[in-house]
Amino acid sequence: MEKLEQQFICVRIIKADGLDLDLFQFDYDQTWCVVFLNADRTIYGRYGTRAGVRNNAASHISVAGFKKAMQRALEVHQGYPANKQNLAAHAGPKAKYATPEKIPHMAKTKCIHCHQVHDGILRTKWLQKELTAADLWVFPLPESIGLRMDPADCLVVKKVTPGSPAAQGGIEAGDRLKSVNGLLLLSQADLQWALHIAPVETKLKVKLERAGQVAEKTVTLSGKWKEGDLSWRESSWFGLRQGLHLVPLPEAERKKRSLEPDMFAFKVQNMYGPGPEPLRKAGLKVGDVILAVDGRADLATETQLFVYIRLTHPPGSHMKLSLLRGDKKMELEVPAW
Amino acid sequence: MLTRLAAALSLGMLFAPTAGFAQPPKVKDIAVAPHWIYDDVPAAFTRAKETNKPILALFR
């Protein structure tokens, strides 16, 4: 491993101040991520995946997987620049803000963490009434198309969900993915990048290796496949919740209040910092149970609830909360905050 | 390297910003091996050009 590491120029970055956002585009909510690149700024690929709040890192990353990604990066380097066209899509679009400090809502932030890049973009876009679904549904996991990858390899398919787009496209467990739409893959993070830059309605050309033979499969994607869980993302606290901490009402409390087990019911667990001050002023209290927003009680998860609020309630607008406070039902109009 | 990587992975999880709660007061980074460049991306590009090695940029 030491020899492998010595074949790179290794740089460790612990703060995002001054970070070139045109060059370094990755899932900023991760706590650990690697970008492999050439000195001419050509991106070879990425490594690093996170999907939960804590204690599940091993489900998506591993030392063995990282080692394989490093080896693949060296192979790409050896084949460079002949393979340059198969790397072009690793470069993202020109960033709206050149560095994190240029993001309007981040101008006064010191010692910027990577996740704060996404924090700042989400909050700024919402304040400027420019927030879109594409800003929220970033870096979909392979699971979003029905693939579970083996963390010990990064590119070997461990499991395919029956009936999923990947299954319908003919991908099978044991397949080793090589490229998506021509883009060379080093790891699962590159597959996520390919999904990230793909339009919602699309057909992915997936080149893979099966039993020593190379094959190409087409995966057709449509609808809500990018819409996963955002609750683990640190940026969700700033970009979505703005300090409003909701939890699904525990089963015991549902029984106590005669609410159905699967009924929409989110308890206001806490309101942190100055962000939710407009909610406090409007009368919302810790312990209140939200039963509907604007009459909608069909939002099944906290993510869906906050996405609905952020995409449909720009600054200056209001929403109606149907609440349960103790045993008393009540309606409360609150401003978007 | 394995030990350092494992430490980095576990520290990353340990010090992962805990959603909505107070950040740890100060995160003291673990020691970095001499051949690692610390927080200096331009220096990494300079050395990569000199050596014709690829860059491994680790964010944490």
Side-chain angles (χ1 to χ4, degrees):
Chain A
M1 190 69 171
E2 187 78 23
K3 283 184 180 176
L4 193 56
E5 189 186 332
Q6 294 278 3
Q7 294 177 67
F8 293 88
I9 298 301
C10 300
V11 57
R12 189 170 189 183
I13 302 148
I14 61 165
K15 56 186 178 184
D17 305 60
L19 190 68
D20 182 340
L21 296 182
D22 275 332
L23 181 62
F24 292 112
Q25 298 187 20
F26 55 92
D27 188 345
Y28 298 117
D29 279 311
Q30 293 184 85
T31 50
W32 201 95
C33 178
V34 165
V35 176
F36 299 102
L37 67 162
N38 186 285
D40 72 359
R41 296 171 60 94
T42 298
I43 303 287
Y44 290 164
R46 300 162 178 80
Y47 180 86
T49 294
R50 191 177 173 205
V53 174
R54 60 182 70 193
N55 296 333
N56 73 343
S59 65
H60 289 91
I61 59 175
S62 71
V63 172
F66 181 51
K67 189 177 172 183
K68 290 206 172 184
M70 291 171 78
Q71 289 166 331
R72 291 175 187 134
L74 289 172
E75 288 167 11
V76 168
H77 187 63
Q78 285 165 4
Y80 189 81
N83 54 10
K84 193 167 184 174
Q85 67 175 14
N86 296 109
L87 302 169
H90 275 307
K94 185 167 178 57
K96 185 171 183 179
Y97 306 106
T99 64
E101 297 90 331
K102 302 284 186 188
I103 302 171
H105 205 72
M106 298 296 295
K108 294 178 182 174
T109 305
K110 302 295 180 191
C111 191
I112 299 171
H113 296 203
C114 286
H115 71 83
Q116 289 178 304
V117 174
H118 201 209
D119 291 358
I121 289 171
L122 291 182
R123 186 62 177 169
T124 298
K125 285 200 163 188
W126 184 77
L127 288 169
Q128 295 177 348
K129 302 184 179 181
E130 293 177 350
L131 188 70
T132 68
D135 298 315
L136 297 171
W137 306 118
V138 295
F139 294 92
L141 288 167
E143 285 86 340
S144 67
I145 62 170
L147 293 176
R148 179 78 176 175
M149 307 304 290
D150 179 358
D153 182 279
C154 313
L155 292 180
V156 169
V157 176
K158 191 174 183 179
K159 188 179 174 186
V160 182
T161 304
S164 66
Q168 290 177 356
I171 298 179
E172 298 176 0
D175 288 347
R176 185 186 302 275
L177 307 189
K178 298 178 73 68
S179 68
V180 174
N181 292 342
L183 178 70
L184 289 176
L185 307 177
L186 301 183
S187 78
Q188 173 173 325
D190 289 335
L191 175 56
Q192 290 180 257
W193 172 258
L195 297 176
H196 175 68
I197 61 175
V200 171
E201 308 291 329
T202 191
K203 290 182 187 294
L204 299 178
K205 296 289 184 189
V206 181
K207 187 177 283 186
L208 54 82
E209 190 179 309
R210 180 183 299 166
Q213 301 292 314
V214 175
E216 187 171 277
K217 304 291 181 184
T218 300
V219 177
T220 303
L221 300 174
S222 180
K224 297 184 176 182
W225 64 275
K226 287 199 179 195
E227 300 183 10
D229 175 31
L230 303 180
S231 64
W232 65 271
R233 292 181 174 277
E234 185 65 14
S235 61
S236 67
W237 283 97
F238 201 67
L240 295 179
R241 300 183 181 97
Q242 267 293 301
L244 178 60
H245 184 192
L246 302 180
V247 295
L249 192 65
E251 192 178 331
E253 289 193 50
R254 286 173 185 267
K255 281 185 182 172
K256 189 176 166 186
R257 297 177 190 218
S258 303
L259 299 177
E260 295 297 320
D262 56 351
M263 181 179 166
F264 180 107
F266 287 93
K267 183 179 180 181
V268 179
Q269 186 77 0
N270 216 326
M271 288 188 273
Y272 297 105
E277 190 57 26
L279 301 176
R280 293 190 194 99
K281 283 185 178 172
L284 188 67
K285 295 183 177 179
V286 171
D288 284 349
V289 177
I290 300 175
L291 299 176
V293 179
D294 298 331
R296 289 193 59 174
D298 60 327
L299 304 161
T301 66
E302 185 200 13
T303 291
Q304 290 176 8
L305 171 59
F306 279 112
V307 167
Y308 166 75
I309 289 172
R310 290 295 163 206
L311 291 181
T312 60
H313 291 81
S317 67
H318 288 72
M319 66 199 80
K320 192 196 301 181
L321 302 180
S322 303
L323 299 177
L324 194 57
R325 181 172 293 166
D327 293 328
K328 185 182 169 187
K329 283 189 175 179
M330 56 189 291
E331 300 285 323
L332 190 67
E333 187 171 277
V334 300
W337 73 104
Chain B
M1 173 63 191
L2 282 171
T3 305
R4 284 198 302 277
L5 178 60
L9 285 169
S10 55
L11 277 173
M13 295 311 294
L14 181 63
F15 293 119
T18 306
F21 302 94
Q23 302 289 322
K26 182 128 184 171
V27 178
K28 182 171 173 55
D29 210 352
I30 60 173
V32 179
H35 60 278
W36 277 78
I37 296 170
Y38 199 78
D39 255 348
D40 191 344
V41 174
F45 275 94
T46 299
R47 280 178 56 183
K49 283 175 185 167
E50 290 169 354
T51 60
N52 192 32
K53 289 182 179 179
I55 297 168
L56 186 164
L58 166 62
F59 297 85
R60 68 154 295 241

